[in-house]
Amino acid sequence: VKTSEFPDPFEQARIEKGYGDIDDQNDPVTMLLRLKDVRKTAHNWKTFISGATPGRIVVPSEVDIRDIRQIPFEVDPPEHKDYRNLIEPWFKRPLEKEYAAKLTKIIEDLVDEVVEKDDIEVVGDFALKLQSRALTLLLNIPFEESETWIGWGVHVFRSEESSTDADKANILFDYLDEQIDRAAENPSDDLYSLLLASEVNGVKMTKEEVKGVMILTFAGGRDTVINAVTNSLSYFAENPKALERLRQEPEIVGRAVEELVRYFSPLTHMGRVVTEDTKVCEHAIKNDSRVSMCWASANRDSAVFEKPNEVVLDRKINPHVGFGFSHHNCLGATHARQILKILMTTLANKVTSIDIKDYKENIEEWGEFNRKVGFDNITMNIHGK
Ligand code: HEM
Ligand code: EMZ
């Protein structure tokens, strides 16, 4: 088996019954595995809510480590739209020329740096740095601030000891309190200041709400981007022809990004809390219990995708749900897509071949399902031109 292969652990259950039952900290979750059911559930916000106890829709649940609501992620319509309308234009800035140029510089500098060296541990010394440096653009914050974030490691809520680490979470929360106070005293043109000056339905956003948006921006865009970047590198290491193809046909880069997001599905699933006794796939689900929409399984659904377990770099019809579906679809997707496009183009232009030396896979365990989502570490030798 190749390092860059990501097997589908959900196939049998998806075909046979459409769901899988798992336990998460004594609060069970029914995982929905078919693309059609995932979409219906994402759309039906009245029966499947996001605005439950903060942290409960995340699997593993974060109810024990935070009580601040992430905005707009843990808010349902119609309020969801008010927040989303406010934040959305800011999250579209990655499409601007100047933003893309700065992002290109960040990525080219980093690639230049690693091709000079022999063995690079890609998760910590490439993907985490890239994610943190790129985030300075999204927040419109000085580049140097990325050094602090790099120091936090890959996940802000999880550590090697624990899948929900309160001490780690508090580092982020305290940091955000400081930053929000700073921006309140000294407004600038960063995201904190914009939010602090904003009104929702005629009412100024509170510091607590601003913190809710910022936690989500830090947490949601972190391991997802790191996994996408690391997995893409492992794919190009083992499929040098794909890199060659991107060199020859740069116009397919957009499709290649979508296909790798589908194949790797950097976020495995996301939960909702059920507001009434209901049924999914003939399976009874009780009021106030949890379901999850398994993006990773839906993205391999053979009812929708031809050759679901193959990377078809220029896949033409690709209705994947790697970035979610319906009103909560990923706000960071514009930024993430730009990162991945620029990364692929830069690799195609600057790199001849990549050797994988050593690695440890990151396997998530969800009941009967063991899912590879990325790597804890992976050492590569990246050869430049
Ligand atoms: C929502 C995946 C990168 C911020 C989502 C959702 C998915 C997802 C599946 C839907 C969650 C749901 O329905 O409950 C990904 C993947 C990424 C990525 C695969 C990288 C490849 C980012 C980045 C940011 C971000 C870089 C920001 C820095 C958000 C936000 C939401 C969200 C704010 C909530 C939107 C809402 O509730 O309206 N993401 N994400 N994501 N993501 Fe991402
Ligand atoms: C939450 C989530 C957002 C959660 C769209 O996903 O990402 C997870 O990594 C975080 O742990 O708190 O932000």
Side-chain angles (χ1 to χ4, degrees):
V1 175
K2 281 184 173 177
T3 307
S4 62
E5 253 162 53
F6 281 60
D8 170 20
F10 306 106
E11 184 175 22
Q12 198 186 349
R14 182 176 59 241
I15 292 169
E16 283 174 9
K17 45 180 196 170
Y19 66 90
D21 283 314
I22 63 166
D23 177 66
D24 167 36
Q25 302 162 62
N26 299 318
D27 184 7
V29 180
T30 298
M31 292 175 84
L32 306 178
L33 303 176
R34 295 178 182 152
L35 187 109
K36 203 173 161 200
D37 294 320
V38 163
R39 283 194 180 158
K40 268 167 69 181
T41 306
H43 202 65
N44 181 358
W45 53 269
K46 286 191 173 156
T47 307
F48 304 98
I49 62 168
S50 298
T53 308
R56 194 167 170 223
I57 64 168
V58 185
V59 193
S61 167
E62 293 170 356
V63 288
D64 292 338
I65 58 165
R66 64 177 168 93
D67 43 29
I68 293 192
R69 184 170 300 286
Q70 292 186 11
I71 298 174
F73 170 60
E74 292 173 316
V75 181
D76 291 303
E79 291 79 16
H80 171 263
K81 190 84 196 147
D82 301 329
Y83 290 111
R84 179 105 186 186
N85 285 345
L86 171 72
I87 308 167
E88 198 144 28
W90 181 272
F91 278 81
K92 292 270 187 246
R93 286 163 47 255
L95 295 173
E96 292 168 11
K97 239 183 169 167
E98 199 188 334
Y99 191 110
K102 286 184 186 162
L103 188 54
T104 304
K105 171 97 173 65
I106 286 175
I107 292 175
E108 286 183 347
D109 286 353
L110 190 58
V111 171
D112 288 342
E113 197 183 308
V114 297
V115 294
E116 290 290 309
K117 297 184 187 156
D118 282 342
D119 290 345
I120 293 293
E121 198 290 286
V122 168
V123 177
D125 287 335
F126 188 83
L128 172 62
K129 286 186 183 173
L130 199 169
Q131 184 276 336
S132 297
R133 292 175 183 175
L135 190 65
T136 62
L137 299 179
L138 191 64
L139 270 52
N140 207 21
I141 291 256
F143 180 83
E144 297 68 46
E145 200 61 19
S146 57
E147 290 302 319
T148 304
W149 309 336
I150 291 167
W152 294 341
V154 169
H155 204 284
V156 285
F157 294 138
R158 291 176 214 156
S159 62
E160 277 179 21
E161 295 79 50
S162 170
S163 63
T164 50
D165 186 325
D167 294 336
K168 220 172 165 187
N170 283 328
I171 295 175
L172 172 66
F173 298 160
D174 292 346
Y175 171 84
L176 290 177
D177 286 335
E178 271 172 35
Q179 295 294 313
I180 290 166
D181 288 342
R182 174 196 54 80
E185 274 163 39
N186 255 319
S188 67
D189 50 6
D190 63 15
L191 177 57
Y192 301 97
S193 307
L194 169 97
L195 293 171
L196 286 165
S198 297
E199 288 182 0
V200 174
N201 283 330
V203 184
K204 264 262 168 74
M205 273 183 85
T206 64
K207 285 187 176 179
E208 176 102 352
E209 286 175 309
V210 172
K211 195 172 169 184
V213 175
M214 296 309 301
I215 293 173
L216 174 58
T217 308
F218 273 94
R222 198 167 177 84
D223 54 332
T224 44
V225 169
I226 291 169
N227 284 334
V229 166
T230 309
N231 298 342
S232 298
L233 274 165
S234 81
Y235 173 75
F236 290 123
E238 293 184 327
N239 298 276
K241 282 189 181 145
L243 213 49
E244 180 55 34
R245 187 162 177 208
L246 285 173
R247 239 184 314 268
Q248 303 294 336
E249 298 172 67
E251 66 280 5
I252 68 163
V253 72
R255 283 185 183 157
V257 167
E258 298 311 312
E259 178 63 350
L260 291 186
V261 170
R262 180 194 71 84
Y263 184 76
F264 296 130
S265 296
L267 188 63
T268 302
H269 60 162
M270 187 50 72
R272 295 288 187 263
V273 173
V274 179
T275 55
E276 59 187 335
D277 289 352
T278 183
K279 262 188 174 179
V280 185
C281 299
E282 303 298 304
H283 177 58
I285 301 180
K286 280 229 161 318
N287 183 20
D288 198 41
S289 65
R290 296 191 294 167
V291 299
S292 84
M293 298 161 288
C294 187
W295 321 113
S297 168
N299 282 343
R300 299 293 181 97
D301 193 333
S302 60
V304 180
F305 301 100
E306 272 175 41
K307 300 190 208 154
N309 297 317
E310 273 178 42
V311 173
V312 179
L313 208 57
D314 65 341
R315 192 181 283 275
K316 292 181 182 74
I317 302 167
N318 195 350
H320 73 81
V321 288
F323 287 116
F325 185 73
S326 194
H327 50 291
H328 283 291
N329 74 5
C330 181
L331 256 180
T334 312
H335 177 73
R337 286 180 165 120
Q338 286 290 48
I339 291 178
L340 295 172
K341 269 189 206 168
I342 296 169
L343 174 64
M344 287 184 197
T345 305
T346 306
L347 294 174
N349 292 333
K350 288 186 181 271
V351 169
T352 50
S353 64
I354 306 173
D355 301 319
I356 297 174
K357 298 280 172 147
D358 192 27
Y359 61 92
K360 184 169 175 288
E361 293 179 339
N362 177 2
I363 311 280
E364 297 176 340
E365 290 171 22
W366 308 110
E368 66 187 282
F369 309 115
N370 291 330
R371 172 167 200 251
K372 174 169 158 190
V373 66
F375 300 89
D376 287 338
N377 56 66
I378 178 164
T379 304
M380 298 185 196
N381 215 323
I382 303 171
H383 304 285
K385 284 193 173 164

